[in-house]
Amino acid sequence: TGAGGSIGRELCRQIARRNPAELVLLGHGENSIFEILLELQNDYPDLIIHPVIADVRNHERLTQIFEQHQPQIIFHAAAHKHVPLMEANIVEAVTNNVIGTRNVTQAALDHHAERFVLISTDKAVRPSSIYGATKRVAEMIVLDASKQVDTYAGKQVDKYTSTHAFTVVRFGNVL
């Protein structure tokens, strides 16, 4: 998710270098997804790429996307990230960063994704801003999902001992 953003684009470039079977570019901004699509098609002409325009706040749309593409690994980089703008637009920060993360995490659980990585921020440590607080809550959602018990073929499997991993990484401004 967030494939058109600065971090999302770089993740897409690095993932493409690893020769995945397919790459789904999910983002809300049509222009940014189009730009990374053209770049990747040029650099990796044999890679199967699916550009998907969607809002992570739309749970039903995410369910459709996960049903269609059955992603194994999700890098969730979709977020509103500009601190001053989020202070002035609290509802947007919460709905995108918190509700959106909950939706993507739930879709990943529901469709048995093997791996889920939330791209977070150093601002989630003892947050002093709306942005930092929303990213900290997003981290808590993903970390809670990592502890949930999942059911496969009627058998209870603990996420810690299964092949599934939901994790959080914090990127600092240096990156």
Side-chain angles (χ1 to χ4, degrees):
T1 69
S6 56
I7 292 171
R9 283 183 192 211
E10 185 56 31
L11 282 169
C12 290
R13 290 178 190 113
Q14 291 188 28
I15 292 165
R17 281 184 226 145
R18 306 295 249 162
N19 197 29
E22 298 180 33
L23 183 58
V24 178
L25 310 175
L26 191 148
H28 188 245
E30 138 184 35
N31 289 335
S32 58
I33 294 297
F34 185 66
E35 289 169 4
I36 190 64
L37 172 65
L38 291 180
E39 177 185 330
L40 293 175
Q41 285 176 329
N42 184 59
D43 294 346
Y44 304 94
D46 296 329
L47 177 59
I48 299 168
I49 304 171
H50 304 281
V52 176
I53 306 302
D55 190 326
V56 295
R57 294 177 278 200
N58 186 332
H59 179 72
E60 292 78 21
R61 176 76 172 118
L62 288 175
T63 298
Q64 292 170 345
I65 293 163
F66 273 72
E67 285 174 359
Q68 179 180 357
H69 295 287
Q70 295 293 317
Q72 292 176 292
I73 303 168
I74 294 96
F75 289 89
H76 178 44
H80 288 319
K81 65 179 184 177
H82 297 286
V83 174
L85 284 176
M86 293 308 96
E87 294 298 318
N89 295 278
I90 296 169
V91 170
E92 289 298 311
V94 171
T95 57
N96 194 66
N97 297 357
V98 176
I99 304 302
T101 297
R102 183 197 65 196
N103 290 344
V104 177
T105 302
Q106 191 60 55
L109 287 170
D110 291 346
H111 293 88
H112 309 295
E114 293 176 21
R115 302 271 187 258
F116 185 101
V117 180
L118 170 68
I119 309 303
S120 191
T121 174
D122 55 350
K123 290 177 177 51
V125 180
R126 292 183 295 285
S128 61
S129 67
I130 295 299
Y131 167 66
T134 62
K135 291 302 279 187
R136 180 64 188 125
V137 173
E139 289 181 356
M140 293 165 57
I141 290 167
V142 173
L143 294 174
D144 182 62
S146 75
K147 298 174 190 172
Q148 286 183 28
V149 175
D150 208 358
T151 304
Y152 291 100
K155 183 177 177 184
Q156 296 293 317
V157 179
D158 183 75
K159 289 255 182 241
Y160 285 126
T161 59
S162 75
T163 59
H164 294 234
F166 283 57
T167 191
V168 171
V169 295
R170 288 181 176 155
F171 286 15
N173 289 337
V174 163
L175 182 72

